[in-house]
Amino acid sequence: MKYDPLIKVAFVRPPLSEHAFRGTGSYYRNLLISLKKEDGLEVTAIENGAPVGNFDIIHYPYFDPFFLTMPLISKKNTVVTVHDLIPLKYPDKFKSGIKGLFKWFIQKGTLCRSRHIITDSHSSKKDIAAITGFPQKDIRVIYLGIENVFRKISDNRILMPVLTRYQLNTPFILYVGDINWNKNIPGLIKALSFLEKENGAPQLALVGRGFVNNSGNLTEINKLISDLNLDGKIKRIADVPPDDLVALYNLAEMFILPSFDEGFGLPLLEAMACQTPVISSDRGSLAEISGRAVFSVDPNDSGQMGKAIKKLLKNKELRDRLVAEGILQSQKFTWEKTSRATVNVYKKILGIKEY
């Protein structure tokens, strides 16, 4: 479908290189590819701080409250994607320091001068409105999509080398993500300990660069693993190539996301697309995104989490039901839908009729 006039959009590259492949980097890359396929839209990727004189819309697909990721003043129509404000929602768990608070003061002012905010979930929309005072009518929820590479694989010639490469045994439980407080990794480790004391626990694979890069959170996690004598049960794996990640989802007996809060929860949907049953908490956006396609647990109750893992290991009928519902749920989330909804935000700002 063509629309007139041509909309010229500057799509600003995220400034932090550690988000290049997952998280914000995945959003930037996949949305840019999809937007470039839209008729009537001319999208140009630019560096942060580049001239923006010839564009109708400036879209910042990344926002960090504690880093200066936007110009102080912009005369252009600005759209900002704010994935979540979890660090500001739980200030006692995310220490920003004086410099961080000062930068947030500046970032908040810049954000509130934007024409529109895009966010990943209704949960995040509620938080953004409460924390910033930005009008809810100008915050649009647009769900993320799943890349097509996340799919069921049955070919052992693809799967077995990955199992060997990462020294994993089947069955194993999979977690993919970072190690911030809201991810509740200690709760997951305690759930594994609960199983180990009962009758023996399966292996747990923790995938993400946070599990190998030194940090205060990792020190605490490693100490807990050691204190609970679980070193032999837990594999810590850095970021893996996309093809290997797809294979790990396929190989896992289940995927688990035990978060205290989330802005979206993309790994949960990736696991569903690979036909892997999912255990998840129901906090933040997770109930909204997962629908009925997960085994829900209380993130504050590691014993309950352990029992859920045990039940899913033993109950094939339950696993099959979650897989079937997960396939249907994951199919609702595509980058084409994300792109089309994003174009509608641009059109609303410019006074052009939406799709």
Side-chain angles (χ1 to χ4, degrees), residues 70-74 76-78 80 105-117 134:
M70 298 170 58
L72 295 177
I73 299 174
S74 176
K76 291 289 182 176
N77 295 311
T78 301
V80 185
F105 177 79
I106 296 172
Q107 283 282 86
K108 180 180 177 182
T110 306
L111 179 66
C112 288
R113 288 190 289 274
S114 303
R115 288 291 305 276
H116 216 93
I117 290 174
F134 200 87

Side-chain angles (χ1 to χ4, degrees), residues 239-254:
D239 283 343
V240 298
D243 288 346
D244 283 7
L245 180 59
V246 175
L248 288 172
Y249 277 126
N250 275 270
L251 286 161
E253 193 73 8
M254 68 190 73

Side-chain angles (χ1 to χ4, degrees), residues 3 9-11 27-44 59 61 335-336 338-344 346:
Y3 40 86
V9 178
F11 206 64
Y27 174 80
Y28 168 83
R29 184 177 64 256
N30 285 292
L31 182 55
L32 179 61
I33 290 169
S34 294
L35 287 172
K36 283 181 173 289
K37 296 176 183 177
E38 295 283 347
D39 290 331
L41 204 65
E42 183 179 283
V43 185
T44 305
H59 187 165
W335 284 109
E336 290 75 20
T338 306
S339 173
R340 182 59 58 95
T342 302
V343 171
N344 276 338
Y346 302 158

